[in-house]
Amino acid sequence: MNTLAQVVTAFSPLLVAVVVGLFAARERRQTSSAKVMARLTAEAGVHEALPEGSAARSIVAAQLEATASKYKATCEREDSFRRDKVGLAAGIILGGGGLILGTWAALQGGGYLWWFALALPAIMIGVPGFFVELAGGSSRDAARPNGDGAEPPTASGSG
């Protein structure tokens, strides 16, 4: 029974890393261009469904043109993203080191468990840092159209 408790405790750093990694990757999972393309596809479907010559169809056509130009600009911006290899390596080393340290401390038990308290911050900093850099890091933030990390409003007022 004691061995089972040690094994469960040993895998807890891995569980922390997975949970933290999922939250870190959540926002950056889908690129902006993919979101704009989904919107463009939906608008094209609406455009095709409307009757030829209707006023609504011409309004949707104008919005379709605006979305297409936004898609082009978004793709050009995303092409400028760079991944910092040092940041990726630091995330792997810090997160991996935290995993190894936490697992070792959990398996040793007793007086070694205080090392587990040092492993958790390493995991919680290294894993999200890795995912941030994987998604473009600071070059992604600098390439935002307003330079302040906010998307500009579109002609229809929605972001």
Side-chain angles (χ1 to χ4, degrees), residues 36-108:
V36 176
M37 178 52 83
R39 182 174 155 189
L40 188 62
T41 304
E43 288 175 1
V46 169
H47 183 265
E48 291 300 316
L50 292 171
E52 194 71 39
S54 70
R57 186 174 175 122
S58 63
I59 291 170
V60 172
Q63 182 61 37
L64 196 58
E65 287 295 322
T67 305
S69 66
K70 181 177 181 177
Y71 177 72
K72 181 181 179 211
T74 303
C75 287
E76 289 171 355
R77 181 175 57 86
E78 287 178 356
D79 287 344
S80 70
F81 294 169
R82 293 177 319 281
R83 291 187 177 119
D84 181 23
K85 290 175 180 57
V86 173
L88 288 171
I92 290 170
I93 291 169
L94 197 57
L99 280 170
I100 292 168
L101 181 63
T103 303
W104 173 80
L107 289 174
Q108 296 301 314

Coordinates of all heavy atoms in Angstrom, one line a residue, residues 36-108:
V36 N -10.4 33.8 -38.1 CA -10.9 34.7 -39.2 C -11.4 33.8 -40.4 O -12.4 34.1 -41.0 CB -9.9 35.7 -39.6 CG1 -10.3 36.5 -40.8 CG2 -9.5 36.6 -38.5
M37 N -10.7 32.7 -40.6 CA -11.1 31.8 -41.7 C -12.5 31.2 -41.4 O -13.3 31.0 -42.3 CB -10.1 30.8 -42.0 CG -10.5 29.8 -43.1 SD -11.0 30.5 -44.6 CE -9.4 30.8 -45.4
A38 N -12.7 30.8 -40.2 CA -14.0 30.2 -39.8 C -15.1 31.3 -40.0 O -16.2 30.9 -40.5 CB -13.9 29.7 -38.4
R39 N -14.8 32.5 -39.6 CA -15.8 33.6 -39.8 C -16.0 33.8 -41.3 O -17.1 34.0 -41.8 CB -15.2 34.8 -39.2 CG -16.1 36.0 -39.3 CD -15.6 37.1 -38.4 NE -16.1 38.4 -38.9 CZ -15.6 39.6 -38.5 NH1 -14.7 39.6 -37.6 NH2 -16.1 40.7 -39.0
L40 N -14.9 33.8 -42.1 CA -15.0 34.0 -43.5 C -15.9 32.9 -44.2 O -16.7 33.2 -45.1 CB -13.6 34.1 -44.1 CG -13.4 34.4 -45.6 CD1 -13.9 35.9 -45.8 CD2 -12.0 34.4 -46.0
T41 N -15.6 31.7 -43.8 CA -16.4 30.6 -44.3 C -17.9 30.7 -44.0 O -18.8 30.4 -44.8 CB -15.9 29.2 -43.7 OG1 -14.5 29.2 -44.1 CG2 -16.6 28.0 -44.3
A42 N -18.2 31.1 -42.7 CA -19.6 31.3 -42.3 C -20.2 32.4 -43.1 O -21.4 32.3 -43.6 CB -19.7 31.6 -40.8
E43 N -19.5 33.5 -43.3 CA -20.1 34.6 -44.1 C -20.3 34.2 -45.6 O -21.3 34.6 -46.2 CB -19.1 35.8 -44.1 CG -19.2 36.5 -42.7 CD -18.2 37.7 -42.6 OE1 -17.4 37.9 -43.6 OE2 -18.1 38.2 -41.5
A44 N -19.4 33.4 -46.1 CA -19.6 32.9 -47.5 C -20.8 32.0 -47.6 O -21.5 32.1 -48.6 CB -18.3 32.2 -48.0
G45 N -21.0 31.2 -46.6 CA -22.2 30.4 -46.6 C -23.5 31.2 -46.5 O -24.5 30.9 -47.2
V46 N -23.5 32.3 -45.7 CA -24.7 33.2 -45.7 C -24.8 33.9 -47.0 O -26.0 34.0 -47.5 CB -24.5 34.2 -44.5 CG1 -25.5 35.3 -44.6 CG2 -24.5 33.5 -43.2
H47 N -23.8 34.3 -47.6 CA -23.8 35.0 -48.9 C -24.4 34.1 -49.9 O -25.3 34.6 -50.7 CB -22.4 35.5 -49.3 CG -22.4 36.3 -50.6 ND1 -22.1 35.7 -51.8 CD2 -22.6 37.6 -50.8 CE1 -22.2 36.6 -52.7 NE2 -22.4 37.8 -52.1
E48 N -24.1 32.9 -50.0 CA -24.6 31.9 -51.0 C -26.1 31.6 -50.7 O -26.8 31.4 -51.7 CB -23.8 30.7 -51.0 CG -22.4 30.8 -51.5 CD -22.4 31.3 -53.0 OE1 -23.1 30.8 -53.8 OE2 -21.6 32.2 -53.3
A49 N -26.5 31.7 -49.5 CA -27.9 31.3 -49.1 C -28.9 32.4 -49.4 O -30.0 32.2 -49.6 CB -28.0 31.0 -47.6
L50 N -28.4 33.7 -49.5 CA -29.3 34.8 -49.8 C -29.6 34.9 -51.3 O -28.8 34.5 -52.1 CB -28.6 36.1 -49.3 CG -28.4 36.3 -47.8 CD1 -27.5 37.5 -47.5 CD2 -29.7 36.4 -47.1
P51 N -30.8 35.4 -51.5 CA -31.3 35.5 -52.9 C -30.4 36.5 -53.7 O -30.0 37.5 -53.2 CB -32.7 35.9 -52.8 CG -33.0 36.3 -51.5 CD -31.9 35.8 -50.6
E52 N -30.2 36.2 -55.0 CA -29.5 37.1 -55.9 C -30.2 38.4 -56.0 O -31.4 38.5 -56.1 CB -29.4 36.4 -57.3 CG -28.4 37.0 -58.2 CD -26.9 36.7 -57.8 OE1 -26.7 35.6 -57.3 OE2 -26.1 37.6 -57.9
G53 N -29.4 39.5 -55.9 CA -29.9 40.9 -56.0 C -30.5 41.5 -54.8 O -31.0 42.6 -54.8
S54 N -30.6 40.8 -53.7 CA -31.2 41.3 -52.4 C -30.2 42.3 -51.8 O -29.0 42.2 -52.0 CB -31.5 40.2 -51.5 OG -30.4 39.6 -50.9
A55 N -30.8 43.2 -51.0 CA -30.0 44.2 -50.3 C -29.1 43.5 -49.2 O -27.9 43.9 -49.0 CB -30.9 45.2 -49.6
A56 N -29.6 42.5 -48.6 CA -28.9 41.8 -47.6 C -27.6 41.1 -48.2 O -26.6 41.1 -47.6 CB -29.7 40.8 -46.9
R57 N -27.8 40.6 -49.4 CA -26.7 39.9 -50.0 C -25.6 40.9 -50.3 O -24.4 40.6 -50.2 CB -27.2 39.2 -51.3 CG -26.1 38.4 -52.0 CD -26.6 37.6 -53.2 NE -25.5 36.9 -53.8 CZ -25.5 35.6 -54.0 NH1 -26.5 34.9 -53.6 NH2 -24.5 35.1 -54.6
S58 N -25.9 42.1 -50.8 CA -24.8 43.1 -51.0 C -24.1 43.6 -49.7 O -22.9 43.8 -49.7 CB -25.4 44.3 -51.8 OG -26.4 45.0 -51.0
I59 N -24.9 43.6 -48.6 CA -24.3 44.0 -47.3 C -23.3 42.9 -46.9 O -22.2 43.1 -46.5 CB -25.4 44.2 -46.3 CG1 -26.2 45.5 -46.6 CG2 -24.8 44.3 -44.9 CD1 -27.4 45.7 -45.8
V60 N -23.8 41.6 -47.0 CA -22.9 40.5 -46.7 C -21.7 40.4 -47.6 O -20.6 40.1 -47.1 CB -23.7 39.2 -46.7 CG1 -22.8 38.0 -46.5 CG2 -24.8 39.2 -45.6
A61 N -21.9 40.8 -48.9 CA -20.7 40.8 -49.8 C -19.7 41.8 -49.4 O -18.5 41.5 -49.4 CB -21.2 41.1 -51.2
A62 N -20.1 43.0 -48.9 CA -19.2 44.0 -48.4 C -18.5 43.5 -47.2 O -17.3 43.7 -47.0 CB -19.9 45.3 -48.2
Q63 N -19.2 42.9 -46.3 CA -18.6 42.3 -45.1 C -17.6 41.2 -45.4 O -16.6 41.1 -44.8 CB -19.7 41.8 -44.1 CG -19.1 41.3 -42.8 CD -18.4 42.3 -42.0 OE1 -18.7 43.5 -41.9 NE2 -17.3 41.9 -41.3
L64 N -18.0 40.4 -46.4 CA -17.1 39.3 -46.9 C -15.8 39.9 -47.4 O -14.7 39.3 -47.1 CB -17.8 38.5 -48.0 CG -17.3 37.2 -48.3 CD1 -17.3 36.2 -47.2 CD2 -18.2 36.6 -49.4
E65 N -15.8 41.0 -48.1 CA -14.6 41.6 -48.6 C -13.8 42.1 -47.4 O -12.5 42.0 -47.4 CB -15.0 42.8 -49.5 CG -15.5 42.3 -50.9 CD -14.4 41.6 -51.7 OE1 -13.2 42.0 -51.7 OE2 -14.8 40.6 -52.4
A66 N -14.4 42.7 -46.5 CA -13.7 43.2 -45.3 C -13.0 42.1 -44.5 O -11.9 42.2 -44.1 CB -14.6 44.0 -44.4
T67 N -13.7 41.0 -44.4 CA -13.2 39.8 -43.6 C -12.0 39.2 -44.4 O -11.0 38.8 -43.8 CB -14.3 38.8 -43.4 OG1 -15.4 39.4 -42.7 CG2 -13.8 37.7 -42.5
A68 N -12.2 39.2 -45.7 CA -11.1 38.6 -46.6 C -9.8 39.5 -46.4 O -8.7 38.9 -46.4 CB -11.5 38.5 -48.0
S69 N -10.0 40.8 -46.4 CA -8.8 41.6 -46.2 C -8.2 41.5 -44.8 O -7.0 41.5 -44.7 CB -9.1 43.1 -46.5 OG -10.0 43.6 -45.6
K70 N -9.1 41.3 -43.8 CA -8.6 41.0 -42.5 C -7.8 39.7 -42.4 O -6.8 39.6 -41.8 CB -9.7 41.0 -41.5 CG -9.2 40.8 -40.0 CD -10.4 40.9 -39.1 CE -9.8 40.7 -37.6 NZ -10.8 40.8 -36.6
Y71 N -8.3 38.7 -43.1 CA -7.6 37.4 -43.2 C -6.3 37.5 -43.8 O -5.3 37.0 -43.2 CB -8.5 36.4 -44.0 CG -7.8 35.0 -44.1 CD1 -7.7 34.2 -43.0 CD2 -7.3 34.6 -45.3 CE1 -7.1 32.9 -43.1 CE2 -6.7 33.4 -45.4 CZ -6.6 32.6 -44.3 OH -6.0 31.3 -44.4
K72 N -6.1 38.3 -44.8 CA -4.8 38.5 -45.5 C -3.9 39.2 -44.5 O -2.7 38.7 -44.4 CB -5.0 39.3 -46.8 CG -3.7 39.5 -47.5 CD -3.9 40.3 -48.7 CE -2.5 40.5 -49.4 NZ -2.4 41.8 -50.1
A73 N -4.3 40.2 -43.9 CA -3.5 40.9 -42.9 C -3.1 40.0 -41.7 O -1.9 40.1 -41.3 CB -4.2 42.2 -42.4
T74 N -4.0 39.2 -41.3 CA -3.7 38.3 -40.1 C -2.7 37.3 -40.5 O -1.8 37.0 -39.7 CB -5.0 37.7 -39.7 OG1 -6.0 38.7 -39.3 CG2 -4.8 36.8 -38.5
C75 N -2.8 36.7 -41.7 CA -1.8 35.8 -42.2 C -0.4 36.4 -42.3 O 0.6 35.8 -41.9 CB -2.2 35.1 -43.5 SG -3.6 34.0 -43.3
E76 N -0.4 37.6 -42.8 CA 0.9 38.3 -43.0 C 1.5 38.5 -41.6 O 2.7 38.4 -41.4 CB 0.8 39.6 -43.7 CG 0.5 39.4 -45.2 CD 0.1 40.7 -45.9 OE1 0.0 41.7 -45.3 OE2 0.0 40.6 -47.1
R77 N 0.7 38.9 -40.6 CA 1.2 39.2 -39.2 C 1.7 37.9 -38.6 O 2.7 37.8 -38.0 CB 0.0 39.8 -38.4 CG 0.4 40.1 -37.0 CD -0.7 40.8 -36.3 NE -2.0 40.0 -36.2 CZ -2.3 39.1 -35.3 NH1 -1.4 38.8 -34.4 NH2 -3.4 38.5 -35.4
E78 N 0.9 36.8 -38.8 CA 1.3 35.5 -38.2 C 2.6 35.0 -38.8 O 3.3 34.2 -38.2 CB 0.2 34.5 -38.3 CG -0.9 34.8 -37.3 CD -2.1 33.8 -37.4 OE1 -2.1 32.9 -38.3 OE2 -3.0 33.9 -36.6
D79 N 2.9 35.3 -40.1 CA 4.1 34.9 -40.7 C 5.3 35.5 -40.1 O 6.4 35.0 -40.3 CB 4.0 35.2 -42.2 CG 3.1 34.2 -43.0 OD1 2.7 33.2 -42.4 OD2 2.7 34.6 -44.1
S80 N 5.1 36.6 -39.4 CA 6.2 37.3 -38.8 C 6.6 36.7 -37.4 O 7.6 37.2 -36.8 CB 5.9 38.8 -38.6 OG 4.9 39.0 -37.6
F81 N 5.8 35.8 -36.9 CA 6.1 35.2 -35.6 C 7.4 34.4 -35.6 O 7.7 33.7 -36.6 CB 5.0 34.3 -35.1 CG 3.7 34.9 -34.9 CD1 2.5 34.1 -34.7 CD2 3.5 36.3 -34.8 CE1 1.3 34.7 -34.4 CE2 2.3 36.9 -34.6 CZ 1.2 36.1 -34.4
R82 N 8.2 34.6 -34.5 CA 9.4 33.8 -34.4 C 9.4 33.1 -33.0 O 8.9 33.6 -32.1 CB 10.6 34.8 -34.4 CG 10.9 35.5 -35.7 CD 12.0 36.5 -35.5 NE 12.1 37.2 -34.3 CZ 11.4 38.3 -34.0 NH1 10.5 38.8 -34.9 NH2 11.5 38.9 -32.9
R83 N 9.9 31.9 -33.0 CA 10.1 31.1 -31.8 C 11.5 31.3 -31.3 O 12.4 31.1 -32.0 CB 9.8 29.7 -32.1 CG 8.3 29.4 -32.4 CD 8.0 27.9 -32.5 NE 6.6 27.7 -32.7 CZ 6.2 27.1 -33.8 NH1 7.0 26.6 -34.7 NH2 4.9 27.0 -33.9
D84 N 11.6 31.7 -30.0 CA 12.8 31.9 -29.4 C 13.3 30.6 -28.9 O 12.7 30.0 -28.0 CB 12.7 32.9 -28.2 CG 14.0 33.2 -27.5 OD1 15.1 32.9 -28.1 OD2 13.9 33.6 -26.3
K85 N 14.4 30.1 -29.5 CA 14.9 28.7 -29.2 C 15.4 28.7 -27.7 O 15.2 27.6 -27.0 CB 16.0 28.3 -30.1 CG 15.5 28.0 -31.5 CD 16.6 27.8 -32.5 CE 16.1 27.5 -33.9 NZ 15.3 28.5 -34.5
V86 N 16.0 29.8 -27.2 CA 16.4 29.8 -25.9 C 15.2 29.7 -24.9 O 15.3 29.0 -23.9 CB 17.3 31.1 -25.6 CG1 17.6 31.2 -24.1 CG2 18.5 31.1 -26.4
G87 N 14.1 30.4 -25.2 CA 12.9 30.4 -24.4 C 12.3 29.0 -24.4 O 11.8 28.5 -23.3
L88 N 12.3 28.3 -25.6 CA 11.8 27.0 -25.6 C 12.6 26.0 -24.8 O 12.1 25.2 -24.0 CB 11.7 26.5 -27.1 CG 10.7 27.1 -28.0 CD1 10.9 26.7 -29.4 CD2 9.3 26.7 -27.5
A89 N 13.9 26.1 -24.9 CA 14.8 25.3 -24.2 C 14.7 25.6 -22.7 O 14.7 24.6 -21.9 CB 16.3 25.5 -24.6
A90 N 14.6 26.8 -22.3 CA 14.4 27.2 -20.9 C 13.1 26.6 -20.3 O 13.1 26.1 -19.2 CB 14.4 28.7 -20.7
G91 N 12.0 26.6 -21.1 CA 10.8 26.0 -20.7 C 10.9 24.5 -20.5 O 10.4 24.0 -19.5
I92 N 11.6 23.9 -21.4 CA 11.8 22.4 -21.3 C 12.6 22.1 -20.1 O 12.3 21.2 -19.4 CB 12.4 21.9 -22.6 CG1 11.4 21.9 -23.8 CG2 12.9 20.4 -22.4 CD1 12.0 21.6 -25.1
I93 N 13.7 22.8 -19.9 CA 14.6 22.5 -18.8 C 14.0 22.8 -17.5 O 14.0 22.0 -16.6 CB 15.9 23.3 -19.0 CG1 16.7 22.8 -20.2 CG2 16.8 23.3 -17.7 CD1 17.9 23.6 -20.6
L94 N 13.3 24.0 -17.4 CA 12.7 24.3 -16.1 C 11.5 23.4 -15.8 O 11.4 22.9 -14.7 CB 12.2 25.8 -16.1 CG 11.9 26.4 -14.8 CD1 13.1 26.4 -13.9 CD2 11.5 27.9 -15.1
G95 N 10.6 23.2 -16.8 CA 9.5 22.3 -16.6 C 9.9 20.8 -16.4 O 9.4 20.2 -15.5
G96 N 10.8 20.4 -17.2 CA 11.3 19.0 -17.1 C 12.1 18.8 -15.8 O 12.0 17.8 -15.1
G97 N 12.9 19.8 -15.4 CA 13.6 19.7 -14.1 C 12.7 19.7 -13.0 O 12.9 18.9 -12.0
G98 N 11.6 20.5 -13.1 CA 10.6 20.4 -12.0 C 9.9 19.1 -11.9 O 9.6 18.6 -10.8
L99 N 9.6 18.5 -13.1 CA 9.0 17.2 -13.1 C 9.9 16.1 -12.5 O 9.5 15.3 -11.6 CB 8.7 16.8 -14.5 CG 7.4 17.3 -15.1 CD1 7.3 17.0 -16.6 CD2 6.2 16.8 -14.4
I100 N 11.2 16.2 -12.8 CA 12.1 15.2 -12.3 C 12.3 15.4 -10.8 O 12.3 14.4 -10.0 CB 13.5 15.3 -13.1 CG1 13.3 14.8 -14.5 CG2 14.6 14.5 -12.3 CD1 14.5 15.1 -15.4
L101 N 12.5 16.7 -10.4 CA 12.7 17.0 -9.0 C 11.5 16.6 -8.2 O 11.6 16.0 -7.1 CB 13.0 18.5 -8.8 CG 13.2 18.9 -7.4 CD1 14.5 18.2 -6.8 CD2 13.4 20.4 -7.3
G102 N 10.3 16.9 -8.7 CA 9.1 16.5 -7.9 C 8.8 15.1 -7.8 O 8.4 14.5 -6.8
T103 N 9.1 14.3 -8.9 CA 9.0 12.9 -8.9 C 10.0 12.3 -7.9 O 9.7 11.4 -7.1 CB 9.2 12.3 -10.3 OG1 8.2 12.9 -11.2 CG2 9.0 10.8 -10.3
W104 N 11.2 12.7 -8.0 CA 12.3 12.2 -7.1 C 11.9 12.5 -5.6 O 12.0 11.6 -4.8 CB 13.6 12.9 -7.4 CG 14.7 12.5 -6.4 CD1 15.4 11.4 -6.4 CD2 15.1 13.4 -5.3 NE1 16.3 11.5 -5.3 CE2 16.1 12.6 -4.6 CE3 14.7 14.6 -4.8 CZ2 16.8 13.1 -3.5 CZ3 15.4 15.1 -3.7 CH2 16.4 14.4 -3.1
A105 N 11.4 13.7 -5.3 CA 11.1 14.0 -3.9 C 9.9 13.2 -3.5 O 9.8 12.7 -2.3 CB 10.7 15.5 -3.9
A106 N 8.9 13.0 -4.4 CA 7.8 12.1 -4.0 C 8.2 10.7 -3.7 O 7.6 10.1 -2.8 CB 6.7 12.2 -5.1
L107 N 9.1 10.2 -4.5 CA 9.5 8.8 -4.3 C 10.4 8.6 -3.1 O 10.3 7.6 -2.4 CB 10.3 8.3 -5.6 CG 9.4 8.0 -6.8 CD1 10.3 7.7 -8.0 CD2 8.4 6.9 -6.5
Q108 N 11.1 9.7 -2.7 CA 12.0 9.6 -1.5 C 11.2 9.7 -0.3 O 11.5 9.1 0.7 CB 13.1 10.7 -1.6 CG 14.0 10.6 -2.7 CD 14.8 9.3 -2.7 OE1 15.3 8.8 -1.6 NE2 14.9 8.6 -3.8

